[in-house]
Amino acid sequence: MEADPRPTRGLWPKNPVIYQIYPRSFQDTSETGEGDLRGITTRLEHVASLGVDSVWLSPFFASPMCDGGYDVADQTAVDPRFGTLDDFDALVARAHALGLRVMIDQVFNHTSDQHPWFQKSLRREPGFEDMYVWQDPRPDGSAPSNWIAFFGGAAWRWHPQRAQYCLHQFLPCQPSLNHRNPKVHDALREITEFWLARGVDGFRYDAVTSFFYDPEFRDNPPAGDTQARIPGPANNPFTMQRHDNDMLPNDCAAFARDIRDWAGPDQYLIGEINEGPKSIEVLRKFTGPDRLDAGYVVDLAERGVSGTVLSDMIARLGAPGPLAWWLSSHDQARHVSRDGDGSARDARLFAALTLALPGPVLLFQGEELGMTQSDLPFEALHDPFDRTYWPDPPGRDGARTPMVWEDDAPNYGFTSAAPWLPMICPPDGPADRQLSNEGSVLQFYRTALRKRGDLNLADGRIEVLLAEDRMFIARIVSVSDTVVLAVNLTDGPQDVPYAGTLRPALQSAEQPVSDQIAPRSAIWYHA
Ligand code: NOJ
């Protein structure tokens, strides 16, 4: 196995655990039914008490919220629904006082079509004409290429004002920035500097694999039935192309060096890698001492959690480190329902699996409570992606339902107004009930995170011993300990031949006293 060449960034642990907060759904203090920055500040103690290293805040910037905030209209302003810059400063101060670092999202691939840059570009104002990707129609009036947006449908929107097409790799309201225009990079660098001056400790970069594309706009070939097919639902035509020309990993990865230069050596930088079958190979291009610290890929969420997928990812990765492990986010159905039956038992199982793996880990708000996926009716959906694919939506809004904090408060203490999405409570109840129950999912996460630290698993090496679809056994060797991780995803007990001689360090469920592991459970053994 190769040595991990990354230096330690400033005061960051090498492989942190990062807790993702979706501001709209964390805590409301303004009686609007939507969360806000002050609300986050009031709940940071909960996050710190988990034992994570950092929070990552999904976008809270000025936005028409056509893509839940990933359509930014001003990258250096707080959207009034979330508060003010003073609220942000107070949040950072409180986080730092609690020993938490603060990462924020940076959406560099595109802006909102309401952004002043876009409005000026639309009017061809000098200096702004080429900030976005404008192209003339083909002689027959059709779009410059056959590229399809991530959310389905053509990636080109016709703008009569300029009599040209504009590229959008996501929603039509999210025009793509022209990364070949140095003025764009100057502006993005200034945005980075703005947030550095406000004390942030790291950045999560949205859609880093989409920044560069073929300058001649050549068509993508069909994916056919090949391995090149990007994972995803068959009802999204995006999966039907081979993305040879709309995503150029080498050019994008080279840009990761600029990102590192702008952010400086001490910031922790992580990128979202959307590259289908070559995800991990592409991730490796983006990461390194002079680039991003880590990236994350969608393999487990799209291909399903299994021993074979895990072992394939570990083999492709080589040395642990640059790949951040995660199971849930604001973009996928929650894993406890997607890969499990929504029970507290399955929530503990997946926690024991994720928190044993060497490398950085991303936790999504609410997973520490065992929050399940909500099956929302069409009328409740805000997300245009979910609405387009109804009745078979990707389930983004169903994963974004607000946090459940208290038993004896309206809307579980999230808001005193009507919550922006219907709320559901996980099997073990809201956070306060789980705190007073030693056997709850919340307590399990706290214990697992503490033991992950005690056993130095984050910086360990992993060696796969058994990888089957529903069974996974691996040895993790850290500076201080050797741990065997056994995961049983089947509904029956399974043999772990040497288990009888090993002492469990953590177990997600009660275990039979034998060389077996209980159904739907995971164990860490001291080895
Ligand atoms: C990835 C973000 O996580 C997702 O929520 C968003 O819709 C797209 N990028 C576009 O910004």
Side-chain angles (χ1 to χ4, degrees):
M1 217 169 256
E2 294 167 35
D4 182 351
R6 291 166 312 142
T8 303
R9 298 273 172 222
L11 299 174
W12 280 87
K14 196 162 193 169
N15 291 303
V17 179
I18 298 166
Y19 181 95
Q20 183 192 355
I21 293 181
Y22 193 69
R24 207 175 183 183
S25 294
F26 205 62
Q27 175 66 54
D28 177 19
T29 59
S30 48
E31 301 185 7
T32 55
E34 295 182 76
D36 45 54
L37 295 181
R38 283 185 191 201
I40 295 172
T41 305
T42 64
R43 295 290 186 187
L44 280 178
E45 237 166 284
H46 164 84
V47 183
S49 74
L50 289 171
V52 301
D53 301 296
S54 180
V55 292
W56 145 30
L57 305 178
S58 277
F60 49 83
F61 316 112
S63 165
M65 297 299 272
C66 102
D67 183 21
Y70 284 89
D71 48 319
V72 183
D74 182 347
Q75 297 93 335
T76 56
V78 174
D79 193 281
R81 79 176 70 217
F82 295 126
T84 62
L85 277 173
D86 285 346
D87 295 337
F88 180 78
D89 294 342
L91 187 161
V92 172
R94 179 71 183 135
H96 287 168
L98 288 165
L100 288 170
R101 295 154 192 85
V102 178
M103 295 181 74
I104 62 169
D105 234 293
Q106 293 288 273
V107 188
F108 280 0
N109 186 64
H110 46 264
T111 69
S112 159
D113 61 0
Q114 302 306 305
H115 197 295
W117 298 345
F118 185 75
Q119 293 298 319
K120 291 179 187 173
S121 197
L122 198 55
R123 294 194 294 267
R124 294 184 192 264
E125 282 192 24
F128 293 88
E129 303 102 308
D130 298 327
M131 279 195 89
Y132 296 84
V133 188
W134 295 102
Q135 283 295 299
D136 290 333
R138 292 201 261 210
D140 65 357
S142 60
S145 71
N146 71 347
W147 300 352
I148 290 175
F150 271 86
F151 296 136
W156 296 97
R157 179 180 178 187
W158 177 249
H159 287 271
Q161 296 92 323
R162 279 184 63 141
Q164 279 187 313
Y165 283 100
C166 188
L167 180 69
H168 64 86
Q169 292 140 303
F170 293 88
L171 293 168
C173 65
Q174 291 167 302
S176 298
L177 283 164
N178 177 8
H179 277 267
R180 298 199 197 275
N181 177 350
K183 191 177 150 86
V184 167
H185 282 193
D186 289 347
L188 298 178
R189 194 189 54 241
E190 278 168 27
I191 291 163
T192 307
E193 285 163 1
F194 176 89
W195 291 109
L196 288 175
R198 297 205 98 89
V200 306
D201 306 287
F203 297 105
R204 175 266 186 192
Y205 294 97
D206 192 62
V208 289
T209 35
S210 298
F211 294 160
F212 289 93
Y213 29 78
D214 177 24
E216 291 173 36
F217 302 102
R218 279 172 288 208
D219 282 354
N220 280 331
D225 256 349
T226 67
Q227 285 292 315
R229 208 176 166 111
I230 219 157
N235 60 2
N236 184 345
F238 186 77
T239 65
M240 295 165 69
Q241 289 189 345
R242 229 171 62 193
H243 293 275
D244 289 356
N245 294 321
D246 58 343
M247 293 195 268
L248 299 184
N250 291 333
D251 292 19
C252 293
F255 175 52
R257 285 212 193 95
D258 292 330
I259 291 183
R260 168 58 69 194
D261 281 349
W262 303 345
D266 290 341
Q267 301 283 309
Y268 193 82
L269 308 182
I270 186 164
E272 180 203 22
I273 310 283
N274 259 319
E275 261 279 358
K278 292 256 173 287
S279 58
I280 292 180
E281 293 70 12
V282 169
L283 174 140
R284 294 182 65 91
K285 294 181 198 267
F286 275 83
T287 51
D290 57 345
R291 305 181 183 199
L292 308 183
D293 292 284
Y296 68 92
V297 301
V298 295
D299 291 49
L300 285 167
E302 299 277 4
R303 295 165 65 192
V305 179
S306 75
T308 37
V309 172
L310 278 165
S311 119
D312 170 55
M313 292 173 76
I314 290 165
R316 284 158 62 205
L317 184 63
L323 174 74
W325 298 100
W326 65 284
L327 295 178
S328 281
S329 82
H330 65 296
D331 282 337
Q332 274 82 19
R334 283 186 178 272
H335 67 266
V336 69
S337 307
R338 187 189 69 217
D339 290 289
D341 63 4
S343 62
R345 175 201 63 185
D346 279 6
R348 288 193 301 269
L349 152 67
F350 291 120
L353 164 59
T354 326
L355 292 173
L357 299 174
V361 167
L362 307 176
L363 300 178
F364 180 50
Q365 66 175 51
E367 74 166 87
E368 78 280 16
L369 304 177
M371 279 180 71
T372 54
Q373 179 69 10
S374 189
D375 203 3
L376 297 171
F378 182 79
E379 313 74 67
L381 295 177
H382 293 242
D383 180 30
F385 194 23
D386 274 355
R387 290 175 73 95
T388 305
Y389 288 87
W390 181 263
D392 187 17
R396 303 206 304 176
D397 273 351
R400 298 171 179 179
T401 63
M403 285 290 283
V404 290
W405 298 108
E406 292 154 31
D407 247 331
D408 293 328
N411 303 310
Y412 301 105
F414 166 67
T415 181
S416 53
W420 75 282
L421 282 175
M423 297 184 62
I424 51 166
C425 195
D428 280 355
D432 66 348
R433 199 195 310 165
Q434 296 202 28
L435 264 187
S436 49
N437 169 6
E438 273 312 309
S440 67
V441 172
L442 174 58
Q443 297 290 17
F444 187 76
Y445 266 84
R446 289 159 65 127
T447 305
L449 279 155
R450 183 169 43 74
K451 292 197 176 170
R452 175 181 177 81
D454 292 348
L455 297 165
N456 294 298
L457 297 181
D459 301 335
R461 278 188 298 112
I462 187 163
E463 201 183 311
V464 176
L465 304 177
L466 173 86
E468 292 171 359
D469 183 34
R470 308 277 79 201
M471 270 297 287
F472 180 72
I473 305 181
R475 181 183 295 120
I476 298 150
V477 182
S478 78
V479 283
S480 57
D481 293 84
T482 298
V483 165
V484 169
L485 163 71
V487 182
N488 176 7
L489 296 165
T490 75
D491 290 322
Q494 296 292 331
D495 292 335
V496 182
Y498 27 80
T501 61
L502 303 177
R503 193 164 44 91
L506 181 83
Q507 50 192 44
S508 73
E510 256 184 55
Q511 296 298 330
V513 192
S514 67
D515 289 355
Q516 287 202 320
I517 175 170
R520 308 285 306 170
S521 72
I523 314 182
W524 305 355
Y525 298 101
H526 291 287

